[in-house]
Amino acid sequence: MRIIVGTFIVCFVALSAKAETGHELWLRHRGANPVKVVCSGESATLSLALHELRQGWQGEAGASVALEIRPDKSIKGDGYKLAASGVQANTELGILYGVYELLRRQQTLRPIQDEISNPSYERRVLNHWDNPDGSVERGYAGHSIFWRSGTDSLAVTEKDRALWQEYGRANASIGINGTVLNNVNASPETLSGESLIRVKAIADALRPYGVKTYLSVKFSSPSLLGGLKTSDPLDAQVVQWWKAKVKEIYSLIPDFGGFLVKANSEGQPGPQDYGRTHAQGANMMADALKPFGGIVMWRAFVYSSEDKDRARQAYSEFMPLDGQFRDNVIIQVKNGPIDFQPREPFSPLFGAMKKTSVMPELQITQEYLGHSIQLVYLAPMWEETLQSDTYQKGPGSTVARSTDGTLFPQKYSAIAGVANIGLDANWCGHHFAQANWYAFGRLAWNSGLTSDTIADEWIRLTFSPNQKETLNALKSGDWTKNFLTPVKEMMLRSREAAVNYMMPLGLHHIFAGTHHYGPGPWYAPKGMRPDWTPPYYHQADALGIGFDRTRAGSNAVDQYREPLASQFNDPATCPEIYLLWFHHLPWTYRMKSGRTLWDELCYRYESGVLQVRQFQKIWDRAEPYVDAQRFAEVQSKLRRHYRDAQIWKDACLLYFQQFNRLPIPYDIERPVNDLEDLMKIDLKWSHHN
Ligand code: GCV
């Protein structure tokens, strides 16, 4: 009889968990205790802080909390001082951030001690690659939350405003304080008068949350929108056009953040079209923005088809310009030298540009990491980049310290993340992709946080049971043991698993063309630029595989500071995770494991696939602790994730085997697909989502 009763209770707990769409993100309502709040001031932002406290207070019922704006030199920018009795800050926004941290501590059952928290980066900015028609470049979560097509596309509705407020709140809760509303492949129409009215409405909705708006601009806007004969940055009329446009923007949005620019990159116009440098182009815009406090985030994502190694190009083009940029220009550099691959060494520009402000650009949207189909937690990848040592000012010159103003004087410090947000009910397409938005914000605030800590917090906030339902489960440690620990383990292993089943040991860019979802190591349509085809990157032939970037090859290694350059140059000292990034090696090359390179590749592909299989088991065991809707949605995605990981392994091993004609080690599971079939299917569209 006892057993029957016990079973009944477990089922009841699981079934009673209310279905959740995921729309509430990590900010789920959980019923609050009454709290008395004393606040030293009144404003829209402070009202939000008060409201959040009253809605979310999980501390002692009837406790008093003081929110106090009082100058304190040890608090920087919008940082805050936290105590059990309240929050102190220099700014209103600091108070709001402190309140979110206070509530987060309560919800994640972590102690509140007297402490100061200051942001690592001053500007923590999302980049939306959203187009004016509402489509999102590399977006996998539905249409844009800012733009739409149709005749009344620019009309602002109450529904729009409500959604933008929810978006502002989510960002504020993790410290994000800026957003670029449109694609870096920008349309000139973004700067039209009608479009700016909509930008103003968005800025108004986001302002109380401390989220500033920025716009991506097309360099040739003076000609395309303004009707001028040229967009030459040194032309007086062009200079005047930008000044007038900037003035118009600030008359509508007095706290506008500034411009993001993709210039002379992938067909976008830029100053080089007029024989000018990136510095001349960026400075012209910076001068227009300066009187209003605006900045220019100028991207270093440039490469041409002529250079023999794409990985070298941003450095070659930007290093000679170091020191030539205005102090309100920040060079925005992708984490790696190529393009957001599952694994890249850090970009050699970090720490190398010493007289110019530099900011990292991370990609939250999973363009190269399984879209919103695969469960891949990206914080370990970002942690890897931010903590990489550039050695540019001696040991300990990490990418984080080289960009946050610690090592080099920067008037502004910033970090950008390409957003994974759309109109899908759960915002990000995959419930676990929300963790990547969350992790970006948390790392931008504190680049020293570990991916483990962030995952722990996120799981607790996103999945912990509602108070009434399973408080007992939480107290008994049951939830921690059976849900938190295994799910966190799955998240922490997921990025390495993806590297393994997609492109281990430093392989990169071997995706099927255009959509970058499935494998396509063979993809090389006639006449296509070689650097847009995978064979350019893997260089497989009968003898070996990998891109030779050593001193005997393209010499990309010498863009790194010693001791890294020599370390990367020698296969014996090059970390194996980057081996085929820097070296072309024989298939029989002996790895540290004792295996040949070919055998090691086979093992890596196999281990990636097996890990995803494990993820399925972990998730299925978690069923009693998750509401039915989110459980089923994640379960279904994991099934496809596994199938697609298997396809990655089969496609890559069978394709590379054509060159080396070596057997796949016999203790490895045999491929279950034929190469000729795999070469015909388009993985992205061959399944239902
Ligand atoms: C917005 C890659 C992506 C493009 C993207 C580009 C960029 O090439 O595939 O979609 O364009 O990077 O970052 O500018």
Side-chain angles (χ1 to χ4, degrees), residues 129 137-138 183-185 262 265-266 268 299 301 303 310 334 338-340 361 363 367-368 418 509 514 516 532:
W129 287 354
E137 183 156 348
R138 311 302 176 188
N183 194 352
V184 288
N185 292 325
K262 173 175 177 177
S265 161
E266 298 189 327
Q268 290 300 321
R299 296 176 91 225
F301 177 65
Y303 60 101
R310 174 172 169 183
K334 289 189 182 185
I338 290 191
D339 191 12
F340 298 136
E361 177 179 321
Q363 194 180 41
E367 173 180 359
Y368 294 103
V418 181
H509 228 316
T514 65
H516 302 155
W532 284 355

PDB file of all heavy atoms in Angstrom, residues 129 137-138 183-185 262 265-266 268 299 301 303 310 334 338-340 361 363 367-368 418 509 514 516 532, ligand 1:
ATOM      1  N   TRP A 129      20.331  40.575 -36.308  1.00  0.00           N
ATOM      2  CA  TRP A 129      20.515  40.579 -37.758  1.00  0.00           C
ATOM      3  C   TRP A 129      19.119  40.552 -38.409  1.00  0.00           C
ATOM      4  O   TRP A 129      18.810  39.683 -39.219  1.00  0.00           O
ATOM      5  CB  TRP A 129      21.365  39.386 -38.188  1.00  0.00           C
ATOM      6  CG  TRP A 129      22.827  39.521 -37.840  1.00  0.00           C
ATOM      7  CD1 TRP A 129      23.446  40.608 -37.300  1.00  0.00           C
ATOM      8  CD2 TRP A 129      23.856  38.534 -38.025  1.00  0.00           C
ATOM      9  NE1 TRP A 129      24.799  40.362 -37.148  1.00  0.00           N
ATOM     10  CE2 TRP A 129      25.074  39.100 -37.585  1.00  0.00           C
ATOM     11  CE3 TRP A 129      23.868  37.227 -38.535  1.00  0.00           C
ATOM     12  CZ2 TRP A 129      26.283  38.402 -37.628  1.00  0.00           C
ATOM     13  CZ3 TRP A 129      25.075  36.537 -38.577  1.00  0.00           C
ATOM     14  CH2 TRP A 129      26.262  37.126 -38.130  1.00  0.00           C
ATOM     15  N   GLU A 137      18.365  37.214 -40.576  1.00  0.00           N
ATOM     16  CA  GLU A 137      19.506  36.470 -41.130  1.00  0.00           C
ATOM     17  C   GLU A 137      20.095  35.600 -40.028  1.00  0.00           C
ATOM     18  O   GLU A 137      20.368  36.077 -38.922  1.00  0.00           O
ATOM     19  CB  GLU A 137      20.557  37.446 -41.678  1.00  0.00           C
ATOM     20  CG  GLU A 137      21.723  36.728 -42.317  1.00  0.00           C
ATOM     21  CD  GLU A 137      22.470  37.561 -43.362  1.00  0.00           C
ATOM     22  OE1 GLU A 137      21.965  38.621 -43.773  1.00  0.00           O
ATOM     23  OE2 GLU A 137      23.562  37.124 -43.770  1.00  0.00           O
ATOM     24  N   ARG A 138      20.224  34.322 -40.331  1.00  0.00           N
ATOM     25  CA  ARG A 138      20.729  33.331 -39.359  1.00  0.00           C
ATOM     26  C   ARG A 138      19.855  33.271 -38.103  1.00  0.00           C
ATOM     27  O   ARG A 138      20.341  33.013 -36.998  1.00  0.00           O
ATOM     28  CB  ARG A 138      22.178  33.625 -38.946  1.00  0.00           C
ATOM     29  CG  ARG A 138      23.115  33.878 -40.105  1.00  0.00           C
ATOM     30  CD  ARG A 138      23.162  32.741 -41.075  1.00  0.00           C
ATOM     31  NE  ARG A 138      24.001  33.023 -42.234  1.00  0.00           N
ATOM     32  CZ  ARG A 138      24.079  32.236 -43.293  1.00  0.00           C
ATOM     33  NH1 ARG A 138      23.336  31.146 -43.382  1.00  0.00           N
ATOM     34  NH2 ARG A 138      24.864  32.534 -44.298  1.00  0.00           N
ATOM     35  N   ASN A 183      20.003  44.284 -39.088  1.00  0.00           N
ATOM     36  CA  ASN A 183      21.090  43.488 -39.668  1.00  0.00           C
ATOM     37  C   ASN A 183      22.304  44.336 -40.057  1.00  0.00           C
ATOM     38  O   ASN A 183      22.145  45.437 -40.598  1.00  0.00           O
ATOM     39  CB  ASN A 183      20.529  42.795 -40.921  1.00  0.00           C
ATOM     40  CG  ASN A 183      21.415  41.683 -41.443  1.00  0.00           C
ATOM     41  OD1 ASN A 183      22.527  41.504 -40.980  1.00  0.00           O
ATOM     42  ND2 ASN A 183      20.907  40.949 -42.417  1.00  0.00           N
ATOM     43  N   VAL A 184      23.490  43.784 -39.846  1.00  0.00           N
ATOM     44  CA  VAL A 184      24.706  44.456 -40.317  1.00  0.00           C
ATOM     45  C   VAL A 184      24.745  44.535 -41.843  1.00  0.00           C
ATOM     46  O   VAL A 184      25.404  45.408 -42.403  1.00  0.00           O
ATOM     47  CB  VAL A 184      25.994  43.778 -39.801  1.00  0.00           C
ATOM     48  CG1 VAL A 184      26.197  44.041 -38.329  1.00  0.00           C
ATOM     49  CG2 VAL A 184      25.988  42.274 -40.091  1.00  0.00           C
ATOM     50  N   ASN A 185      24.059  43.602 -42.504  1.00  0.00           N
ATOM     51  CA  ASN A 185      23.842  43.756 -43.951  1.00  0.00           C
ATOM     52  C   ASN A 185      22.664  44.720 -44.042  1.00  0.00           C
ATOM     53  O   ASN A 185      21.524  44.327 -44.234  1.00  0.00           O
ATOM     54  CB  ASN A 185      23.509  42.418 -44.602  1.00  0.00           C
ATOM     55  CG  ASN A 185      24.716  41.487 -44.584  1.00  0.00           C
ATOM     56  OD1 ASN A 185      25.854  41.923 -44.705  1.00  0.00           O
ATOM     57  ND2 ASN A 185      24.464  40.196 -44.417  1.00  0.00           N
ATOM     58  N   LYS A 262      29.236  47.304 -41.026  1.00  0.00           N
ATOM     59  CA  LYS A 262      29.922  46.244 -41.775  1.00  0.00           C
ATOM     60  C   LYS A 262      30.321  46.878 -43.095  1.00  0.00           C
ATOM     61  O   LYS A 262      29.455  47.188 -43.917  1.00  0.00           O
ATOM     62  CB  LYS A 262      28.971  45.067 -41.983  1.00  0.00           C
ATOM     63  CG  LYS A 262      29.510  43.959 -42.900  1.00  0.00           C
ATOM     64  CD  LYS A 262      28.533  42.776 -42.935  1.00  0.00           C
ATOM     65  CE  LYS A 262      28.992  41.676 -43.881  1.00  0.00           C
ATOM     66  NZ  LYS A 262      28.088  40.506 -43.868  1.00  0.00           N
ATOM     67  N   SER A 265      32.962  44.288 -46.761  1.00  0.00           N
ATOM     68  CA  SER A 265      32.932  42.906 -46.304  1.00  0.00           C
ATOM     69  C   SER A 265      31.754  42.212 -46.967  1.00  0.00           C
ATOM     70  O   SER A 265      30.636  42.752 -46.955  1.00  0.00           O
ATOM     71  CB  SER A 265      32.752  42.906 -44.780  1.00  0.00           C
ATOM     72  OG  SER A 265      32.295  41.669 -44.314  1.00  0.00           O
ATOM     73  N   GLU A 266      32.015  41.060 -47.571  1.00  0.00           N
ATOM     74  CA  GLU A 266      30.960  40.264 -48.212  1.00  0.00           C
ATOM     75  C   GLU A 266      30.052  41.116 -49.091  1.00  0.00           C
ATOM     76  O   GLU A 266      28.824  41.028 -49.023  1.00  0.00           O
ATOM     77  CB  GLU A 266      30.142  39.511 -47.155  1.00  0.00           C
ATOM     78  CG  GLU A 266      30.985  38.513 -46.362  1.00  0.00           C
ATOM     79  CD  GLU A 266      30.204  37.592 -45.451  1.00  0.00           C
ATOM     80  OE1 GLU A 266      29.165  38.026 -44.916  1.00  0.00           O
ATOM     81  OE2 GLU A 266      30.653  36.446 -45.273  1.00  0.00           O
ATOM     82  N   GLN A 268      29.401  44.290 -49.029  1.00  0.00           N
ATOM     83  CA  GLN A 268      28.858  45.543 -48.481  1.00  0.00           C
ATOM     84  C   GLN A 268      29.767  46.711 -48.877  1.00  0.00           C
ATOM     85  O   GLN A 268      30.985  46.560 -48.925  1.00  0.00           O
ATOM     86  CB  GLN A 268      28.764  45.471 -46.955  1.00  0.00           C
ATOM     87  CG  GLN A 268      27.699  44.537 -46.428  1.00  0.00           C
ATOM     88  CD  GLN A 268      26.299  44.921 -46.873  1.00  0.00           C
ATOM     89  OE1 GLN A 268      25.946  46.101 -46.942  1.00  0.00           O
ATOM     90  NE2 GLN A 268      25.495  43.920 -47.225  1.00  0.00           N
ATOM     91  N   ARG A 299      33.160  46.911 -37.707  1.00  0.00           N
ATOM     92  CA  ARG A 299      33.511  45.478 -37.693  1.00  0.00           C
ATOM     93  C   ARG A 299      34.805  45.183 -38.457  1.00  0.00           C
ATOM     94  O   ARG A 299      35.064  45.786 -39.506  1.00  0.00           O
ATOM     95  CB  ARG A 299      32.368  44.650 -38.267  1.00  0.00           C
ATOM     96  CG  ARG A 299      31.124  44.741 -37.416  1.00  0.00           C
ATOM     97  CD  ARG A 299      29.986  44.004 -38.060  1.00  0.00           C
ATOM     98  NE  ARG A 299      29.873  42.622 -37.674  1.00  0.00           N
ATOM     99  CZ  ARG A 299      29.660  41.629 -38.513  1.00  0.00           C
ATOM    100  NH1 ARG A 299      29.596  41.841 -39.817  1.00  0.00           N
ATOM    101  NH2 ARG A 299      29.522  40.395 -38.083  1.00  0.00           N
ATOM    102  N   PHE A 301      35.336  42.179 -39.618  1.00  0.00           N
ATOM    103  CA  PHE A 301      35.051  40.930 -40.351  1.00  0.00           C
ATOM    104  C   PHE A 301      35.240  41.190 -41.845  1.00  0.00           C
ATOM    105  O   PHE A 301      34.307  41.521 -42.562  1.00  0.00           O
ATOM    106  CB  PHE A 301      33.618  40.488 -40.032  1.00  0.00           C
ATOM    107  CG  PHE A 301      33.183  39.255 -40.769  1.00  0.00           C
ATOM    108  CD1 PHE A 301      33.799  38.036 -40.523  1.00  0.00           C
ATOM    109  CD2 PHE A 301      32.157  39.309 -41.688  1.00  0.00           C
ATOM    110  CE1 PHE A 301      33.392  36.900 -41.200  1.00  0.00           C
ATOM    111  CE2 PHE A 301      31.737  38.172 -42.362  1.00  0.00           C
ATOM    112  CZ  PHE A 301      32.356  36.968 -42.121  1.00  0.00           C
ATOM    113  N   TYR A 303      37.365  39.933 -45.530  1.00  0.00           N
ATOM    114  CA  TYR A 303      38.226  38.975 -46.240  1.00  0.00           C
ATOM    115  C   TYR A 303      37.943  39.096 -47.723  1.00  0.00           C
ATOM    116  O   TYR A 303      36.830  39.387 -48.126  1.00  0.00           O
ATOM    117  CB  TYR A 303      37.996  37.541 -45.748  1.00  0.00           C
ATOM    118  CG  TYR A 303      36.583  37.027 -45.921  1.00  0.00           C
ATOM    119  CD1 TYR A 303      36.261  36.180 -46.984  1.00  0.00           C
ATOM    120  CD2 TYR A 303      35.571  37.383 -45.043  1.00  0.00           C
ATOM    121  CE1 TYR A 303      34.967  35.707 -47.142  1.00  0.00           C
ATOM    122  CE2 TYR A 303      34.276  36.915 -45.190  1.00  0.00           C
ATOM    123  CZ  TYR A 303      33.980  36.075 -46.248  1.00  0.00           C
ATOM    124  OH  TYR A 303      32.702  35.627 -46.407  1.00  0.00           O
ATOM    125  N   ARG A 310      42.226  33.101 -45.594  1.00  0.00           N
ATOM    126  CA  ARG A 310      41.196  33.976 -45.026  1.00  0.00           C
ATOM    127  C   ARG A 310      41.470  34.305 -43.562  1.00  0.00           C
ATOM    128  O   ARG A 310      41.140  35.404 -43.089  1.00  0.00           O
ATOM    129  CB  ARG A 310      39.836  33.279 -45.183  1.00  0.00           C
ATOM    130  CG  ARG A 310      38.715  33.997 -44.509  1.00  0.00           C
ATOM    131  CD  ARG A 310      37.391  33.363 -44.855  1.00  0.00           C
ATOM    132  NE  ARG A 310      36.333  33.885 -44.007  1.00  0.00           N
ATOM    133  CZ  ARG A 310      35.088  33.489 -44.040  1.00  0.00           C
ATOM    134  NH1 ARG A 310      34.705  32.560 -44.902  1.00  0.00           N
ATOM    135  NH2 ARG A 310      34.183  34.010 -43.238  1.00  0.00           N
ATOM    136  N   LYS A 334      35.198  39.413 -34.331  1.00  0.00           N
ATOM    137  CA  LYS A 334      34.620  38.104 -34.012  1.00  0.00           C
ATOM    138  C   LYS A 334      35.607  37.296 -33.166  1.00  0.00           C
ATOM    139  O   LYS A 334      36.822  37.466 -33.301  1.00  0.00           O
ATOM    140  CB  LYS A 334      34.293  37.332 -35.299  1.00  0.00           C
ATOM    141  CG  LYS A 334      33.102  37.910 -36.053  1.00  0.00           C
ATOM    142  CD  LYS A 334      32.653  37.008 -37.198  1.00  0.00           C
ATOM    143  CE  LYS A 334      31.494  37.664 -37.940  1.00  0.00           C
ATOM    144  NZ  LYS A 334      30.913  36.829 -39.002  1.00  0.00           N
ATOM    145  N   ILE A 338      38.104  33.380 -38.364  1.00  0.00           N
ATOM    146  CA  ILE A 338      37.312  33.097 -39.567  1.00  0.00           C
ATOM    147  C   ILE A 338      35.849  33.483 -39.377  1.00  0.00           C
ATOM    148  O   ILE A 338      35.445  34.554 -39.782  1.00  0.00           O
ATOM    149  CB  ILE A 338      37.541  31.646 -40.052  1.00  0.00           C
ATOM    150  CG1 ILE A 338      38.983  31.565 -40.607  1.00  0.00           C
ATOM    151  CG2 ILE A 338      36.539  31.250 -41.138  1.00  0.00           C
ATOM    152  CD1 ILE A 338      39.342  30.334 -41.348  1.00  0.00           C
ATOM    153  N   ASP A 339      35.056  32.636 -38.781  1.00  0.00           N
ATOM    154  CA  ASP A 339      33.634  32.991 -38.722  1.00  0.00           C
ATOM    155  C   ASP A 339      32.843  32.096 -37.774  1.00  0.00           C
ATOM    156  O   ASP A 339      32.103  31.231 -38.245  1.00  0.00           O
ATOM    157  CB  ASP A 339      33.038  32.918 -40.136  1.00  0.00           C
ATOM    158  CG  ASP A 339      31.648  33.526 -40.206  1.00  0.00           C
ATOM    159  OD1 ASP A 339      31.250  34.196 -39.233  1.00  0.00           O
ATOM    160  OD2 ASP A 339      30.958  33.338 -41.219  1.00  0.00           O
ATOM    161  N   PHE A 340      32.919  32.328 -36.485  1.00  0.00           N
ATOM    162  CA  PHE A 340      32.028  31.669 -35.528  1.00  0.00           C
ATOM    163  C   PHE A 340      31.962  30.143 -35.676  1.00  0.00           C
ATOM    164  O   PHE A 340      30.890  29.533 -35.562  1.00  0.00           O
ATOM    165  CB  PHE A 340      30.602  32.219 -35.651  1.00  0.00           C
ATOM    166  CG  PHE A 340      30.449  33.677 -35.358  1.00  0.00           C
ATOM    167  CD1 PHE A 340      29.664  34.486 -36.188  1.00  0.00           C
ATOM    168  CD2 PHE A 340      31.052  34.250 -34.258  1.00  0.00           C
ATOM    169  CE1 PHE A 340      29.486  35.837 -35.912  1.00  0.00           C
ATOM    170  CE2 PHE A 340      30.873  35.605 -33.972  1.00  0.00           C
ATOM    171  CZ  PHE A 340      30.082  36.393 -34.809  1.00  0.00           C
ATOM    172  N   GLU A 361      33.071  40.130 -30.543  1.00  0.00           N
ATOM    173  CA  GLU A 361      31.726  39.816 -31.054  1.00  0.00           C
ATOM    174  C   GLU A 361      31.545  38.307 -30.940  1.00  0.00           C
ATOM    175  O   GLU A 361      32.320  37.540 -31.509  1.00  0.00           O
ATOM    176  CB  GLU A 361      31.599  40.269 -32.518  1.00  0.00           C
ATOM    177  CG  GLU A 361      30.249  39.902 -33.150  1.00  0.00           C
ATOM    178  CD  GLU A 361      30.106  40.367 -34.608  1.00  0.00           C
ATOM    179  OE1 GLU A 361      30.557  41.481 -34.944  1.00  0.00           O
ATOM    180  OE2 GLU A 361      29.547  39.595 -35.411  1.00  0.00           O
ATOM    181  N   GLN A 363      28.719  34.946 -31.174  1.00  0.00           N
ATOM    182  CA  GLN A 363      27.464  34.644 -31.883  1.00  0.00           C
ATOM    183  C   GLN A 363      26.581  33.782 -30.994  1.00  0.00           C
ATOM    184  O   GLN A 363      26.905  32.626 -30.711  1.00  0.00           O
ATOM    185  CB  GLN A 363      27.749  33.937 -33.214  1.00  0.00           C
ATOM    186  CG  GLN A 363      26.520  33.919 -34.131  1.00  0.00           C
ATOM    187  CD  GLN A 363      26.764  33.229 -35.465  1.00  0.00           C
ATOM    188  OE1 GLN A 363      27.419  32.207 -35.525  1.00  0.00           O
ATOM    189  NE2 GLN A 363      26.204  33.759 -36.542  1.00  0.00           N
ATOM    190  N   GLU A 367      24.316  29.670 -35.762  1.00  0.00           N
ATOM    191  CA  GLU A 367      24.492  29.500 -37.211  1.00  0.00           C
ATOM    192  C   GLU A 367      25.306  28.252 -37.542  1.00  0.00           C
ATOM    193  O   GLU A 367      24.955  27.494 -38.442  1.00  0.00           O
ATOM    194  CB  GLU A 367      25.188  30.740 -37.796  1.00  0.00           C
ATOM    195  CG  GLU A 367      25.564  30.567 -39.263  1.00  0.00           C
ATOM    196  CD  GLU A 367      26.255  31.784 -39.869  1.00  0.00           C
ATOM    197  OE1 GLU A 367      26.445  32.797 -39.177  1.00  0.00           O
ATOM    198  OE2 GLU A 367      26.595  31.709 -41.067  1.00  0.00           O
ATOM    199  N   TYR A 368      26.402  28.066 -36.825  1.00  0.00           N
ATOM    200  CA  TYR A 368      27.303  26.945 -37.111  1.00  0.00           C
ATOM    201  C   TYR A 368      27.240  25.887 -36.015  1.00  0.00           C
ATOM    202  O   TYR A 368      28.099  25.024 -35.946  1.00  0.00           O
ATOM    203  CB  TYR A 368      28.740  27.462 -37.217  1.00  0.00           C
ATOM    204  CG  TYR A 368      28.999  28.386 -38.400  1.00  0.00           C
ATOM    205  CD1 TYR A 368      29.101  29.763 -38.227  1.00  0.00           C
ATOM    206  CD2 TYR A 368      29.142  27.877 -39.690  1.00  0.00           C
ATOM    207  CE1 TYR A 368      29.353  30.606 -39.297  1.00  0.00           C
ATOM    208  CE2 TYR A 368      29.399  28.719 -40.766  1.00  0.00           C
ATOM    209  CZ  TYR A 368      29.508  30.075 -40.572  1.00  0.00           C
ATOM    210  OH  TYR A 368      29.767  30.901 -41.638  1.00  0.00           O
ATOM    211  N   VAL A 418      25.545  38.239 -31.147  1.00  0.00           N
ATOM    212  CA  VAL A 418      24.535  38.202 -32.214  1.00  0.00           C
ATOM    213  C   VAL A 418      23.328  37.416 -31.695  1.00  0.00           C
ATOM    214  O   VAL A 418      23.439  36.225 -31.381  1.00  0.00           O
ATOM    215  CB  VAL A 418      25.095  37.557 -33.501  1.00  0.00           C
ATOM    216  CG1 VAL A 418      24.032  37.562 -34.586  1.00  0.00           C
ATOM    217  CG2 VAL A 418      26.358  38.284 -33.964  1.00  0.00           C
ATOM    218  N   HIS A 509      34.794  24.892 -40.959  1.00  0.00           N
ATOM    219  CA  HIS A 509      34.029  25.300 -42.148  1.00  0.00           C
ATOM    220  C   HIS A 509      33.819  24.185 -43.167  1.00  0.00           C
ATOM    221  O   HIS A 509      33.977  24.400 -44.370  1.00  0.00           O
ATOM    222  CB  HIS A 509      34.685  26.511 -42.812  1.00  0.00           C
ATOM    223  CG  HIS A 509      33.675  27.593 -43.116  1.00  0.00           C
ATOM    224  ND1 HIS A 509      32.448  27.311 -43.677  1.00  0.00           N
ATOM    225  CD2 HIS A 509      33.700  28.937 -42.922  1.00  0.00           C
ATOM    226  CE1 HIS A 509      31.765  28.432 -43.811  1.00  0.00           C
ATOM    227  NE2 HIS A 509      32.486  29.437 -43.345  1.00  0.00           N
ATOM    228  N   THR A 514      25.618  27.567 -47.854  1.00  0.00           N
ATOM    229  CA  THR A 514      24.600  28.579 -47.507  1.00  0.00           C
ATOM    230  C   THR A 514      23.966  28.483 -46.105  1.00  0.00           C
ATOM    231  O   THR A 514      24.055  29.413 -45.337  1.00  0.00           O
ATOM    232  CB  THR A 514      23.470  28.663 -48.559  1.00  0.00           C
ATOM    233  OG1 THR A 514      22.746  27.432 -48.559  1.00  0.00           O
ATOM    234  CG2 THR A 514      24.018  28.935 -49.953  1.00  0.00           C
ATOM    235  N   HIS A 516      24.616  26.340 -43.568  1.00  0.00           N
ATOM    236  CA  HIS A 516      25.557  26.020 -42.491  1.00  0.00           C
ATOM    237  C   HIS A 516      24.965  25.120 -41.406  1.00  0.00           C
ATOM    238  O   HIS A 516      25.264  25.287 -40.231  1.00  0.00           O
ATOM    239  CB  HIS A 516      26.097  27.306 -41.835  1.00  0.00           C
ATOM    240  CG  HIS A 516      26.789  28.208 -42.813  1.00  0.00           C
ATOM    241  ND1 HIS A 516      26.919  29.569 -42.640  1.00  0.00           N
ATOM    242  CD2 HIS A 516      27.394  27.934 -44.001  1.00  0.00           C
ATOM    243  CE1 HIS A 516      27.564  30.093 -43.652  1.00  0.00           C
ATOM    244  NE2 HIS A 516      27.859  29.123 -44.505  1.00  0.00           N
ATOM    245  N   TRP A 532      34.776  30.021 -50.098  1.00  0.00           N
ATOM    246  CA  TRP A 532      33.406  29.722 -49.677  1.00  0.00           C
ATOM    247  C   TRP A 532      33.110  28.230 -49.798  1.00  0.00           C
ATOM    248  O   TRP A 532      31.961  27.811 -49.742  1.00  0.00           O
ATOM    249  CB  TRP A 532      32.390  30.547 -50.504  1.00  0.00           C
ATOM    250  CG  TRP A 532      32.339  31.983 -50.067  1.00  0.00           C
ATOM    251  CD1 TRP A 532      32.996  32.543 -49.015  1.00  0.00           C
ATOM    252  CD2 TRP A 532      31.585  33.052 -50.663  1.00  0.00           C
ATOM    253  NE1 TRP A 532      32.710  33.888 -48.915  1.00  0.00           N
ATOM    254  CE2 TRP A 532      31.838  34.232 -49.917  1.00  0.00           C
ATOM    255  CE3 TRP A 532      30.713  33.138 -51.755  1.00  0.00           C
ATOM    256  CZ2 TRP A 532      31.270  35.468 -50.208  1.00  0.00           C
ATOM    257  CZ3 TRP A 532      30.133  34.375 -52.060  1.00  0.00           C
ATOM    258  CH2 TRP A 532      30.422  35.523 -51.293  1.00  0.00           C
TER     259      TRP A 532
HETATM  260  C1  GCV B   1      25.245  39.008 -41.405  1.00  0.00           C
HETATM  261  C2  GCV B   1      28.723  35.090 -41.926  1.00  0.00           C
HETATM  262  C3  GCV B   1      27.256  34.786 -42.007  1.00  0.00           C
HETATM  263  C4  GCV B   1      26.486  35.931 -42.621  1.00  0.00           C
HETATM  264  C5  GCV B   1      26.762  37.189 -41.789  1.00  0.00           C
HETATM  265  C6  GCV B   1      28.264  37.441 -41.788  1.00  0.00           C
HETATM  266  C7  GCV B   1      28.636  38.630 -40.934  1.00  0.00           C
HETATM  267  O1  GCV B   1      29.294  35.135 -43.194  1.00  0.00           O
HETATM  268  O2  GCV B   1      27.074  33.612 -42.735  1.00  0.00           O
HETATM  269  O3  GCV B   1      25.128  35.611 -42.596  1.00  0.00           O
HETATM  270  O4  GCV B   1      26.076  38.298 -42.309  1.00  0.00           O
HETATM  271  O5  GCV B   1      28.928  36.310 -41.274  1.00  0.00           O
HETATM  272  O6  GCV B   1      28.949  38.401 -39.785  1.00  0.00           O
HETATM  273  O7  GCV B   1      28.599  39.743 -41.416  1.00  0.00           O
END
